[in-house]
Every structure is written in structure tokens, then in C-alpha cells.
Amino acid sequence: MKKLLCGAALSALLAGSNAELAVAQTPKNTPRTSIALKHGAHDLGKRTDPMMERWRNYGLGQFLHWGVYAIAGGHWEGKYYGGAAEWIRSWREMPKDAYDNLYKQFDPKDFDAKAWAKQAKDMGAKYMIITTKHHDGFCLWPSEFTDYDVSNSPYKKDIIGPLVEAYDAEGIDVYLYFSVIDWNHPGYRSVLKTEEDREEYEEFKEFTKNQLVELLERYPSTKGLWFDGTWDAAWKEQAAFADELEAELREMVPGLIIGSRFRPDDYGNRHFDSNGDLMGDYEQGWERKLPKTIEDVKGNDWDCVMTVPENQWGYHSDWRGHVKTSFELIEMLVRSVALNGNFVLNFGPNGEGGIRKEETQLAAEIGDWMDVNHEAIYDCGYLDWEKQDWGYYTQDRKTGKIYMVVFNMPLNGALRVKTPDKVKLDKVYSLQDGKKFTPEEIHKNEYFIHYNSEEKIKSPMVIVIESTSGEEGSDQVYQKAKT
Ligand code: H76
């Protein structure tokens, strides 16, 4: 896609029916009328410091949703809850006091932080996000600021500490999920209607701040914070508070990464401020969905967080509807990387701390694929070559090597590759076994890479291209058709 469009072309597009396309093609960093904001985006453009470079190159992450909702597992008194398991407290059929006493049963005998970390490592995850506190308010760490935490459960011990230690030991960076919705705190409000609401909410804000500072003090190796619940009307009024708090948290941990789902701007806009600029280090809006084209991500860093069933994060004992396969998840991972994002797969351990067999199997299958093909994922991002139907290109940002990740092998085994002008394909080979391919030039800047269609392919295969640019093309003359 051309980055720069002349004014006339742009207005022609805008006038056309495809408004979405026109917006996607608006050049980045062009001057525009801007609204004066105190609490909008403070820095424009991507962060280029080492910590953010590290984040950008993760490729694959793991999300963990764990809390007392795992004990209910999506059921109450034999009745099935169709919503997301971690939301069961909000269900009409779920007595609130019964839910609020579930923590008295929280005693996960199977919890083994090292085993979880090992499994994530074997899957190929480079970062992990753990729910320190979900909307119910139950804290997986012993918090000084509430009694509703692990220390008052029969388990008694900290959960977050051992997880941070175990994942750190595996070389997997830890991020802390934190909900600014807290159904347990008396000062929490989703909407501020009265003066009294506002007074109470001030206490809740103080509590929120104290807990966040506490988390970073307790777990100083934390690489970032993953916020949730910031869609509340009450929170959307807190631009100044959130801005100041974010600055304070960043001060505490140099390089700390915070996405776009934390603070609202002066007008209550989130993710993107009133001028359309991203607030935070990366776009956090890709939840259970993926961008289709590079234009969709507007030049920003982003990650996609994905559930295995349609919408279950915490443990639900009875998954209904479509359950994604490792093939689908690998395709999502590759698509994410090909569009300059990371892919984060969610796991919901059960009330005993066990990881269900479906998730264990998916982790193993993804891990098997990553063992062979991780080169096409880590340190990789978007390549500006015309996308083909067989799959996705990724490119290593450091070595420049190009990877063709093939999901749809043509029946005749002929994989089309269109290159920009003056690109020469020097070496083309299979990542799995190094077997060489000799590209057939079929047209100017267009080749077939012939895969022996007799050979059965069991999983998405990767072909490496080493190329040089700036070379003259072949001597072959291709004549344009006269029509
Ligand atoms: C709605 C909502 C929450 N955000 C997801 C990341 C899950 O935590 C879900 O419960």
C-alpha cells in the first residue's frame, strides 16, 4: 500500500463508498486539527527503548485467568452459566454472598508454579500475563489493603510470588493483569451518580493506587501491567488521576509497559485519544479478534489476547460451542506476527490449580510446531510483499530473512511469490529440513516455488527466503499485452 496519497487521491477515496479504506489509508503523523488535551497521548510514535523492542519481538505469550471463580467452574447448584466463567458472580442465579465466600474453599492442591511455567516455556511463550485481581476483587497476592485475598483462604500462601519466580526462571517475562473494577470494595462504583458516590469512589481510587504500588514493590521484576475494566463510566471521568498514577508507576519500574486500556483522556476517550493518537505503549483493543491488514493496526504495536472457546477466560468445566484447534491458533499467531503484533493464548486453570487436558494438549501441539518453526515467529514482523493465498510472510527484523508460512498448499504445489522491483531470491529452502527450492521465474518480479505435491504435509510449513534487493532483474523481456 502506498503510504502517501496526494490530496486529490485522498479526497477521491474519502468521497467513495469505502470509508473504512479511506480512514485506514490516512497517512500517519500528518498534521491535523488537534484538540488541546491535558491527558491525551503524551508520546507519539513507537517506543524504541530496549524493553519495548523486547516486547515487540516476543511473538507468543500466555494469559492466565485464575481466581475463586475457578471453584464454581461456570456452574452453581447444578445450573449451567452460559457467560464467561469469571463473570459468574454477576449472574442472577448466583447468590452474591455465596460467591463472596468461595474463597474459603480456595486451597488448590495441584498448584505448581514451576509446572505451569515449564508448560508455557515448552509451548514457546515469551511472556505471561496473570490475573492478580479480576472484577470480583479477590487478590492472588496477600494485600495489605484488603482482607479479600489468598492469605485469608485455606491456601494462605502467595500465588503471584511463586509464579513470578518460576516464569522468571524460565526466561518468560511476567505482566500483571489488574482490574479497575472491584465488586468487593465498598467504594467501588461503575457510575458516579451522587456526591456520596464521588466521595466513596475517592477512597476506591486511593485503594487502587495503593494496590498497584504494592504489586510493583512486591514483584519488581514485573515487565508491565495489563489493565482491564476501564470501560466503566466512573473510570472514564478519571483522566487526571489515571495520568498521574501511570506516571508514578512508570517511575517505579523503568521500561514498564502499559497498553492502551488504562487511562481515559480529558473527554473520556480510551485507547485512542480525542485526536486519534494511541494512549499507552501498544494497542490493547484486539481481544478475541485479529486485524485483517496492516492498515488496520495504524502503524502501532499491538497484541491479540485469545480464548480457546469463543469466550471463556476463567475455568468453565463445560465448554460449549466451537473449541479452537492448534492449527487455527497457529494461524492466528502467524497472522499476528505478520501484522506486527504478538499473540497471547489464554489458559484457565481449575480450582485445584490443574490445567485442563484440552489446554495441555493445545500447548503441546503449538510447542511441537514452535520447536521446528520458531525462527519464523521470534524477532519477526511485517513484510511489505503482496500477500498470497497460501499464507503469510514474516520477516526477521534483525537478519532480514523472509519466512513463508504456508497454510494452504495449492494442489499443484506451485507457491506464487511476487517481489518488489529489483529483489533477487538468493536462497530458498525448507526451514524444517533445509531442502532447497529453485524458484521458477514466471513473470517480471513473479515466481513459482514448486513444492513436491506428492509429499504429505502434516502441519503449516515454513519456507525461508534469503534475498538481496537493489539487483537488476533478469534479462528476460516480458511484453505488456496490447488490448
Ligand atoms: C469483559 C471482560 C474481561 N476482559 C477479558 C480479558 C477477561 O478478563 C474478561 O473477563
Side-chain angles (χ1 to χ4, degrees):
M1 280 291 129
K2 292 278 173 294
K3 273 225 172 115
L4 294 168
L5 288 175
C6 68
L10 186 62
S11 36
L13 267 174
L14 283 164
S17 58
N18 200 340
E20 200 179 71
L21 186 69
V23 169
Q25 290 189 345
T26 303
K28 248 194 341 152
N29 304 330
T30 35
R32 48 185 152 185
T33 41
S34 85
I35 303 166
L37 295 172
K38 266 199 198 145
H39 307 293
H42 296 310
D43 305 293
L44 301 186
K46 287 183 179 181
R47 253 174 71 176
T48 54
D49 56 287
M51 194 50 227
M52 198 63 203
E53 295 282 357
R54 189 180 163 94
W55 186 94
R56 194 166 292 136
N57 289 324
Y58 288 145
L60 178 61
Q62 179 193 39
F63 212 147
L64 282 165
H65 271 73
W66 203 35
V68 294
Y69 40 80
I71 298 169
H75 291 83
W76 189 248
E77 289 182 336
K79 283 189 291 266
Y80 166 88
Y81 172 54
E86 70 281 4
W87 278 77
I88 195 168
R89 189 183 182 279
S90 65
W91 185 27
R92 193 165 11 89
E93 307 277 346
M94 181 81 220
K96 306 304 162 227
D97 62 316
Y99 186 93
D100 294 340
N101 281 298
L102 277 179
Y103 75 99
K104 293 179 182 160
Q105 298 169 49
F106 188 76
D107 195 10
K109 303 258 187 324
D110 300 334
F111 174 58
D112 179 350
K114 286 186 186 151
W116 290 12
K118 170 87 171 43
Q119 185 182 63
K121 174 84 176 183
D122 290 347
M123 179 173 81
K126 293 281 192 187
Y127 69 126
M128 181 277 266
I129 308 160
I130 171 74
T131 49
T132 58
K133 179 179 92 165
H134 205 265
H135 311 332
D136 61 6
F138 183 72
C139 301
L140 287 183
W141 81 99
S143 176
E144 270 181 48
F145 304 99
T146 179
D147 291 333
Y148 193 46
D149 68 11
V150 270
S151 71
N152 290 311
S153 74
Y155 187 71
K156 291 198 175 68
K157 292 164 284 187
D158 183 14
I159 296 285
I160 302 300
L163 281 175
V164 171
E165 203 179 305
Y167 278 74
D168 277 354
E170 292 285 8
I172 300 173
D173 288 351
V174 176
Y175 290 72
L176 305 180
Y177 166 109
F178 185 93
S179 168
V180 302
I181 293 176
D182 187 326
W183 296 325
N184 186 261
H185 192 279
Y188 167 73
R189 299 284 188 284
S190 60
V191 192
L192 306 175
K193 289 181 193 138
T194 63
E195 207 36 56
E196 197 197 326
D197 283 344
R198 284 175 198 284
E199 275 165 31
E200 303 253 329
Y201 198 71
E202 284 308 306
E203 275 177 44
F204 175 66
K205 282 157 64 181
E206 199 54 32
F207 166 72
T208 298
K209 176 176 159 166
N210 286 338
Q211 285 204 317
L212 286 165
V213 169
E214 178 181 46
L215 281 169
L216 293 186
E217 277 173 352
R218 288 183 62 98
Y219 313 110
S221 66
T222 299
K223 302 295 186 291
L225 298 168
W226 204 101
F227 287 101
D228 204 7
T230 53
W231 51 78
D232 271 351
W235 184 261
K236 288 200 280 187
E237 291 180 31
Q238 310 307 325
F241 169 75
D243 201 2
E244 199 179 305
L245 177 54
E246 186 177 305
E248 186 178 335
L249 298 170
R250 288 187 189 278
E251 190 79 14
M252 284 181 76
V253 180
L256 191 74
I257 292 174
I258 298 176
S260 64
R261 205 187 287 194
F262 183 48
R263 56 192 186 89
D265 81 351
D266 312 46
Y267 295 93
N269 284 317
R270 300 179 312 119
H271 296 284
F272 294 91
D273 69 15
S274 304
N275 292 313
D277 294 317
L278 182 71
M279 287 187 292
D281 301 322
Y282 66 98
E283 196 197 339
Q284 229 182 325
W286 298 102
E287 180 171 320
R288 293 188 290 123
K289 65 180 180 201
L290 284 162
K292 287 198 178 67
T293 67
I294 196 70
E295 284 77 19
D296 291 342
V297 303
K298 305 184 184 90
N300 292 314
D301 285 310
W302 61 276
D303 71 4
C304 166
V305 291
M306 186 57 70
T307 46
V308 175
E310 173 60 23
N311 184 25
Q312 292 295 342
W313 299 86
Y315 176 74
H316 198 304
S317 64
D318 184 4
W319 277 354
R320 296 195 184 165
H322 178 62
V323 175
K324 295 176 192 78
T325 63
S326 55
F327 187 100
E328 287 175 83
L329 295 167
I330 291 167
E331 180 163 359
M332 290 175 175
L333 161 66
V334 174
R335 197 211 286 195
S336 299
V337 171
L339 297 177
N340 279 334
N342 291 323
F343 184 72
V344 184
L345 183 61
N346 183 69
F347 289 67
N350 65 30
E352 294 298 326
I355 295 185
R356 70 197 304 150
K357 64 175 191 327
E358 296 95 322
E359 289 173 354
T360 295
Q361 193 183 332
L362 287 171
E365 289 171 6
I366 294 169
D368 286 347
W369 187 84
M370 287 292 281
D371 276 347
V372 178
N373 301 298
H374 58 84
E375 247 188 76
I377 300 296
Y378 302 142
D379 303 326
C380 287
Y382 175 69
L383 174 73
D384 190 15
W385 288 12
E386 186 187 294
K387 191 184 178 312
Q388 303 297 326
D389 292 339
W390 43 252
Y392 305 88
Y393 292 108
T394 65
Q395 182 173 36
D396 190 303
R397 296 183 174 109
K398 291 169 186 155
T399 66
K401 281 189 196 171
I402 292 162
Y403 301 91
M404 297 167 57
V405 190
V406 180
F407 287 90
N408 315 302
M409 180 63 81
L411 285 171
N412 65 358
L415 298 160
R416 192 183 304 274
V417 169
K418 287 193 186 181
T419 66
D421 251 354
K422 295 187 179 175
V423 167
K424 198 169 140 256
L425 307 184
D426 297 323
K427 267 170 87 180
V428 181
Y429 53 94
S430 151
L431 180 59
Q432 176 151 19
D433 55 21
K435 215 153 95 189
K436 288 205 176 66
F437 296 100
T438 311
E440 180 199 0
E441 186 178 317
I442 55 170
H443 205 268
K444 187 172 187 291
N445 302 329
E446 190 169 340
Y447 304 84
F448 272 149
I449 291 169
H450 293 283
Y451 180 81
N452 176 4
S453 54
E454 306 287 291
E455 278 179 47
K456 262 243 170 331
I457 315 171
K458 290 195 205 74
S459 64
M461 79 167 295
V462 178
I463 295 172
V464 189
I465 299 178
E466 294 183 24
S467 65
T468 31
S469 50
E471 307 275 333
E472 279 307 320
S474 69
D475 303 334
Q476 185 100 13
V477 179
Y478 296 101
Q479 207 166 20
K480 269 208 172 148
K482 291 187 175 69
T483 56

